[in-house]
Amino acid sequence: MCARRVRRIEAVSGAAARQWAREEAERQQKKFEVLARKKSDVAALPVFEADAESPAMLDQIYLRSAHLEKVEADVREWEKKEAKASEAQLKSRAAEIAKELATIHAAKGKVVAEVKDADAKLLQAVGDALKPKIKGPIFLLGVSNGRVALLAVVPKDLSSKFQANKLIQEVAPIVGGKGGGRPENAQGSGTDIGKIDLALAEAERLITATQL
């Protein structure tokens, strides 16, 4: 709450101001708890004395408001740093997986593989890292939190005869899902983790048939 709003409240009668201050203190406490759940080591919110005189209560509200603004800014900055660190970690892991897959599959000119403990975001990062290393289609599957993630990547020069989105549309129903995207890049998902081997086999069959 800004200082201008506090000054307006000061003109309100004492009883109304005290009631408003108590309600505002509750709102501030809830907001602080949300911020503290995001970053546990934030500085504690100044105490609100509910039995203080009206001017003192309003001063407390203003002090708490200024404190919350600082905490909120600190949490935003921390979240940005965490997001950057997480993105860097994701890219590093994806690069390692892509290197391993390229070593195994480069001679085949295609990749059909499961990536362990991978969600859609990791699969896409792996696919992006694999594209410069593999000349043909790429199909990746991962399971995370009980869901199946699918990714298909097709080089642009091959997309006239083989499309990533069509591959996903063919394979996703096998794992009880659906998907789509562009001819060069498509994603899908499903919930039937018991059929991932069938999905991989079908992707292999479709890609091989196109390459014949």
Side-chain angles (χ1 to χ4, degrees):
M1 185 190 65
C2 65
R4 185 183 302 172
R5 186 177 176 188
V6 171
R7 286 195 294 271
R8 286 203 303 268
I9 295 300
E10 289 173 348
V12 180
S13 63
R18 289 166 64 84
Q19 180 61 29
W20 174 86
R22 292 190 184 99
E23 293 172 355
E24 183 65 15
E26 290 181 7
R27 288 190 288 268
Q28 290 176 332
Q29 182 62 37
K30 290 178 181 178
K31 183 175 182 179
F32 176 78
E33 289 171 0
V34 170
L35 294 170
R37 282 195 292 271
K38 294 180 179 180
K39 187 174 185 288
S40 60
D41 62 345
V42 295
L45 186 65
V47 174
F48 175 74
E49 298 177 359
D51 57 351
E53 295 297 323
S54 297
M57 291 175 76
L58 294 174
D59 286 343
Q60 291 172 28
I61 290 296
Y62 178 74
L63 178 64
R64 286 159 64 94
S65 178
H67 181 80
L68 279 172
E69 288 180 5
K70 184 179 184 306
V71 169
E72 193 168 21
D74 289 345
V75 170
R76 280 199 303 268
E77 186 62 27
W78 175 80
E79 286 178 326
K80 289 178 183 177
K81 291 180 180 178
E82 286 292 297
K84 287 182 179 179
S86 178
E87 185 69 19
Q89 187 178 34
L90 177 75
K91 288 183 178 180
S92 176
R93 184 183 174 196
E96 291 179 5
I97 295 170
K99 182 179 179 181
E100 181 180 348
L101 289 173
T103 300
I104 297 170
H105 298 277
K108 303 175 186 176
K110 64 181 178 181
V111 175
V112 177
E114 178 184 358
V115 178
K116 298 295 184 182
D117 302 318
D119 58 10
K121 192 172 183 180
L122 177 57
L123 286 188
Q124 186 63 65
V126 174
D128 290 342
L130 264 177
K131 280 191 289 188
K133 306 175 187 295
I134 301 295
K135 295 181 180 180
I138 298 167
F139 179 85
L140 302 176
L141 178 153
V143 177
S144 178
N145 296 321
R147 291 191 63 84
V148 183
L150 308 171
L151 174 75
V153 178
V154 176
K156 191 172 183 178
D157 60 346
L158 298 180
S159 62
S160 60
K161 64 176 182 178
F162 190 77
Q163 294 79 41
N165 53 332
K166 290 184 179 179
L167 176 59
I168 290 294
Q169 288 165 6
E170 290 284 341
V171 176
I174 296 174
V175 291
K178 58 183 180 179
R182 296 177 288 106
E184 297 87 15
N185 195 103
Q187 293 183 327
S189 64
T191 56
D192 194 344
I193 62 176
K195 293 184 178 177
I196 60 175
D197 289 339
L198 290 175
L200 288 167
E202 180 63 6
E204 179 77 37
R205 186 189 71 79
L206 291 168
I207 291 173
T208 300
T210 304
Q211 290 183 316
L212 293 176

